[in-house]
Amino acid sequence: MNTPVDIASPLTPTELVASDGSFFDRLTVMATSLLGVPVAMVAIIEENRQIFPASCILSGVLVGVTETPLSHSICAQVVKLEEPLVINDTRQHPMTLDNPAVTEAGILAYAGFPLVNEEGKSFGTFCAIDYAPHEWSTNDVALLRMLALQVTSEIQLRTALNRLQHDNATLTAVAEKRAKINRANRHDLRTPLNAMLLGLEAVEEFGHVNAEQKESLEMARRNGLQLMSMVDQMLDIGNIDRMGNAALFRQRLQARELVNAAIDQTGILATDKEITLTSHCESVTHLSADEDKMVRVLVNLISNAIKFTPAGGQVTIQVKDMPGPDLVDHVFFEIADTGIGISPGHQELIFNEGYRVNPEATTKDSTGLGLAFCKTIVEAHGGDIGVISEPGQGSAFYFKLPLETAEV
């Protein structure tokens, strides 16, 4: 069952005006001053009442009034008609002569223009009121029309902004909920995978297995380890997306330690494929880095280089200290190969999670997660990563990490 996301509803027109009424209040003050009337207001018509979220009421029975029932509303007639209503003497007009706003509140002159939403539907008015008959001039009417348009434009703008904020809040909440579910699912995957790998290791202990069975068990174990690696990478990406570099377990170390550990894990792959794997580490400075995650970054990059390099080719690892404006400020890593290369159109996309150059390919161990993991980990360390490649000319993946003294 889908649990609804708890997000506040978009604001109503009344709430939009009241949230920052100073703009509208200034317009009502301008109207009373220029028209020489005691009352100007923004009126919003709701189901059973009219509300005045912005107003300038200088005198009379309306001082302090913020709402009235619709029975006492002339503005409701404007909204119903969806056109301006200008009345010099409300006691003489058939639409208003019996209205309690006239007979009880003493509103004897009224001029109001409708406020409309982006669909063109009226929802309120900008109006001017006098307690005595008032001869509204052409200039008066033009001024009210202009001010009403200002109010309409501002409310429509605030409505659009509020809708965008509401939609963004909804998307953020849905994304957070989805991420939480994904984190739980990834953690849940580890339990059966661990059980499966332990079971595979225990099979040989229960009795003799022949060569064919042993090969099948080894294949199952490799695939299980690959699945475990995928889960770990997804967990790490999710943790860093959620926690940033706080998800790293930093320690003081040298680049040589990272390279040696990665070669220990990948050397057998190069040997099996008759690929020459060499390293040149000239760095002598120290890093502040998460050793486990950075070794896995190097293992990913070296394994990819071996995977896409034909038998008899070369993979070279180079590491060196790089100077900043004054001192050495970062360490540069490069993993270059003599493989098939990558076309320019794919180079900007290969670090995206789930992206593969050829999604239809059946390349062994191709998950689309490895390079996304590398990018996430390197950037969490305050570094950056990239690739230089030409089809048929090999590739050089590189990244740089700041020294332990740099802020990351």
Side-chain angles (χ1 to χ4, degrees):
M1 178 182 290
N2 292 329
T3 303
V5 178
D6 186 17
I7 298 294
S9 300
L11 298 178
T12 65
T14 300
E15 292 168 331
L16 288 169
V17 175
S19 63
D20 180 9
S22 59
F23 172 82
F24 303 99
D25 286 334
R26 287 195 296 272
L27 296 184
T28 61
V29 170
M30 182 186 302
T32 58
S33 176
L34 295 177
L35 297 175
V37 295
V39 179
M41 59 178 60
V42 175
I44 306 296
I45 304 302
E46 297 187 350
E47 185 176 359
N48 298 311
R49 61 179 181 169
Q50 65 176 356
I51 299 178
F52 313 131
S55 62
C56 177
I57 304 174
L58 301 179
S59 63
V61 298
L62 293 177
V63 172
V65 175
T66 57
E67 65 177 78
T68 70
L70 290 185
S71 59
H72 292 62
S73 174
I74 301 176
C75 295
Q77 299 294 332
V78 177
V79 170
K80 183 178 180 181
L81 293 171
E82 296 190 329
E83 61 183 36
L85 185 60
V86 179
I87 304 174
N88 296 333
D89 188 340
T90 56
R91 297 169 301 183
Q92 308 299 321
H93 198 284
M95 292 183 64
T96 58
L97 59 88
D98 294 327
N99 192 304
V102 177
T103 60
E104 297 176 14
I107 296 174
L108 299 187
Y110 176 91
F113 281 76
L115 307 176
V116 297
N117 60 23
E118 55 268 38
E119 285 84 30
K121 183 175 178 60
S122 298
F123 61 85
T125 71
F126 186 86
C127 65
I129 291 170
D130 203 340
Y131 298 118
H134 188 107
E135 190 74 28
W136 304 103
S137 68
T138 302
N139 288 339
D140 292 342
V141 173
L143 175 65
L144 279 170
R145 178 181 286 108
M146 180 194 71
L147 294 175
L149 287 174
Q150 288 288 321
V151 172
T152 293
S153 297
E154 182 69 15
I155 292 178
Q156 289 184 3
L157 179 62
R158 293 188 186 192
T159 299
L161 177 60
N162 177 246
R163 185 179 294 114
L164 286 174
Q165 292 170 335
H166 176 266
D167 291 346
N168 182 63
T170 301
L171 290 173
T172 299
V174 170
E176 289 176 352
K177 180 182 177 184
R178 182 177 299 165
K180 184 177 180 180
I181 293 172
N182 286 341
R183 287 195 298 271
N185 289 341
R186 291 164 186 168
H187 280 289
D188 290 344
L189 281 172
R190 278 186 130 269
T191 301
L193 278 174
N194 276 323
M196 182 189 73
L197 290 170
L198 289 172
L200 290 172
E201 291 177 2
V203 168
E204 292 187 66
E205 298 179 8
F206 293 128
H208 174 73
V209 293
N210 60 37
E212 185 176 347
Q213 292 170 330
K214 189 171 184 178
E215 182 178 351
S216 296
L217 286 171
E218 179 59 25
M219 182 182 299
R221 190 184 72 85
R222 285 199 306 268
N223 288 333
L225 289 173
Q226 180 188 349
L227 284 173
M228 184 65 78
S229 175
M230 290 172 60
V231 171
D232 287 341
Q233 288 177 352
M234 288 190 294
L235 284 171
D236 284 333
I237 291 172
N239 287 337
I240 289 175
D241 284 345
R242 181 166 49 95
M243 300 168 58
N245 60 16
L248 302 177
F249 298 93
R250 293 177 180 273
Q251 55 185 300
R252 188 173 186 266
L253 48 81
Q254 287 190 302
R256 188 183 305 277
E257 301 171 55
L258 302 176
V259 173
N260 290 342
I263 289 176
D264 286 344
Q265 296 183 42
T266 56
I268 186 65
L269 300 176
T271 300
D272 289 346
K273 203 171 176 182
E274 298 182 347
I275 288 175
T276 302
L277 177 61
T278 58
S279 68
H280 305 282
C281 186
E282 302 171 6
S283 173
V284 295
T285 54
H286 286 82
L287 297 163
S288 174
D290 186 316
E291 181 176 14
D292 173 68
K293 292 180 177 61
M294 286 312 308
V295 168
R296 284 160 57 195
V297 167
L298 285 166
V299 168
N300 267 317
L301 296 176
I302 296 170
S303 298
N304 278 351
I306 294 171
K307 183 193 310 180
F308 294 106
T309 297
Q314 294 182 339
V315 174
T316 304
I317 307 164
Q318 293 193 22
V319 185
K320 55 186 176 180
D321 297 329
M322 297 296 290
D326 300 313
L327 302 170
V328 171
D329 67 353
H330 66 271
V331 180
F332 180 84
F333 295 76
E334 182 185 73
I335 297 88
D337 62 60
T338 57
I340 60 177
I342 306 165
S343 65
H346 292 294
Q347 291 178 27
E348 296 181 0
L349 302 172
I350 56 175
F351 293 101
N352 293 345
E353 187 173 346
Y355 184 82
R356 288 184 290 176
V357 172
N358 183 3
E360 305 299 326
T362 57
T363 305
K364 184 179 178 181
D365 297 339
S366 180
T367 66
L369 285 173
L371 291 178
F373 168 80
C374 294
K375 184 176 188 291
T376 298
I377 299 303
V378 169
E379 290 182 350
H381 279 81
D384 55 71
I385 188 169
V387 62
I388 299 172
S389 182
E390 291 185 21
Q393 302 297 315
S395 302
F397 282 84
Y398 62 88
F399 63 90
K400 57 185 180 181
L401 298 179
L403 301 184
E404 61 177 344
T405 54
E407 290 187 13
V408 295

